[in-house]
Amino acid sequence: MNKTVIITGASSGIGKACAKRFAKESWQLVLTARRTEKLAAIKAQLESEYGIKVFTLTQDVRNENSGNDLVAFLKQHNIQPDLLINNAGLAVGTNPLQEGIVDDWERMIDTNVKGLLYISRAIAPMMIAQQRGHIINIGSIAGKEVYGGGNVYCATKHAVDALTKAMRIDLLPHGIRVSQVAPGAAETEFSIVRFKGDEQRAKNVYKGIEPLAGGDIADAIWYVANTPPHVNINDLVITCTNQANATTFYRNEN
Ligand code: NDP
Ligand code: 8X3
């Protein structure tokens, strides 16, 4: 039987690229995000291109019931998840802390930390009951280092880093694998969201470099998900060749 992956935040960027990567390998997909029409378009395209089944669920991971709603959806469709990719997330704003906007902070904390917790709290018991499963959390190089203007976003990704380690310990006796994939700069909708729709400013982030594309990260996630059952990649930091760490880039300005 085909395996099933749940991907949160699958309507764009890394999540969408993962949907395509796993579809190509004939996995069944459960895709979630807030934008229904984007999910519907991805479902139509992947079902017709790869002949697989794609389930979509419109949801906001910030909702405390998001995890329970997802489990109810899976049970309704008789789906047993083999893999959960906790990908939904965002950065909003780059203000220094002393000028921070509380609503920006709450959006990041509620999505990147609490959303990941709500989904994991609900899906992990299903995996324990079925005695198999793997959770891959999408962290960031911002969860390894901090940079100017990154304050709360970096804190949320440091929390993902810590929670990944904690979940691995908690789920160890149940044979559930827990991994983190931590990308550097990837050109998706990420910077447009961070800069609140300022597309020019978003473009400048990638000026003079060849950034990661969603597909590069999806390939890495595919590898992490497909090691032999006795092997677990705990943590994978991935940057483009033009990026050495969170703040050091080699830019070709010509
Ligand atoms: P995108 O903005 O392209 O994608 C973000 C995805 O998350 C979208 O599908 C969005 O869907 C979803 N999402 C955002 N908020 C919510 C919410 N409240 N509930 C449900 N879904 C939500 O960015 P990326 O693909 O780049 O980001 C994916 C992950 O990768 C994030 O966790 C990000 O922090 C991380 N990351 C990104 C890097 C980069 O440079 N791009 C580098 C390192 C990590 P919708 O709006 O439809 O809800
Ligand atoms: C996204 C990458 O470096 O902008 O997590 O924080 S970075």
Side-chain angles (χ1 to χ4, degrees):
M1 207 173 97
N2 292 353
K3 288 188 173 179
T4 301
V5 56
I6 303 168
I7 305 170
T8 68
S11 63
S12 121
I14 296 167
K16 182 179 172 182
C18 286
K20 187 168 180 184
R21 188 68 182 82
F22 282 79
K24 202 171 141 196
E25 309 289 347
S26 301
W27 282 49
Q28 176 170 266
L29 311 180
V30 178
L31 308 180
T32 78
R34 292 166 301 177
R35 288 174 292 177
T36 308
E37 64 299 344
K38 294 245 178 214
L39 290 177
I42 293 165
K43 171 182 163 72
Q45 196 217 323
L46 295 181
E47 283 187 336
S48 98
E49 196 167 336
Y50 298 106
I52 50 143
K53 182 78 192 143
V54 180
F55 296 89
T56 61
L57 175 65
T58 302
Q59 66 168 196
D60 187 330
V61 294
R62 290 174 296 179
N63 183 329
E64 196 182 325
N65 292 319
S66 58
N68 294 335
D69 291 346
L70 177 57
V71 166
F73 180 83
L74 297 176
K75 292 201 165 146
Q76 181 195 337
H77 295 283
N78 205 16
I79 298 168
Q80 293 197 323
D82 296 279
L83 173 65
L84 165 65
I85 303 177
N86 273 319
N87 167 73
L90 78 180
V92 196
T94 53
N95 287 12
L97 197 90
Q98 64 276 17
E99 294 165 21
I101 298 169
V102 171
D103 185 57
D104 292 351
W105 296 351
E106 286 179 346
R107 284 176 64 192
M108 291 187 275
I109 293 165
D110 291 352
T111 308
N112 302 356
V113 182
K114 291 167 73 179
L116 181 143
L117 283 170
Y118 298 147
I119 298 293
S120 305
R121 172 65 183 87
I123 296 298
M126 271 191 101
M127 290 182 167
I128 291 170
Q130 71 195 21
Q131 297 184 307
R132 68 170 203 282
H134 190 171
I135 298 174
I136 301 178
N137 294 330
I138 307 305
S140 170
I141 201 158
K144 307 287 181 183
E145 302 169 49
V146 288
Y147 50 83
N151 44 59
V152 174
Y153 178 68
C154 294
T156 65
K157 289 299 181 177
H158 275 72
V160 172
D161 193 62
L163 287 170
T164 303
K165 292 174 187 158
M167 285 162 70
R168 191 158 46 244
I169 296 166
D170 293 343
L171 290 167
L172 186 68
H174 304 285
I176 309 298
R177 295 190 290 182
V178 182
S179 308
Q180 173 175 249
V181 172
E187 193 164 9
T188 60
E189 293 180 13
F190 178 82
S191 292
I192 299 171
V193 172
R194 168 171 258 178
F195 299 132
K196 304 181 179 177
D198 185 338
E199 298 200 8
Q200 191 49 54
R201 198 171 163 205
K203 241 188 196 124
N204 287 342
V205 172
Y206 312 106
K207 204 170 166 197
I209 64 167
E210 184 175 348
L212 295 171
D216 298 320
I217 300 159
D219 282 343
I221 293 169
W222 171 257
Y223 178 77
V224 170
N226 285 280
T227 55
H230 68 289
V231 176
N232 185 47
I233 310 270
N234 290 348
D235 198 4
L236 185 64
V237 180
I238 170 170
T239 65
C240 68
T241 307
N242 295 140
Q243 181 174 15
N245 59 32
T247 51
T248 312
F249 291 84
Y250 178 77
R251 293 186 194 271
N252 181 349
E253 304 293 355
N254 296 322

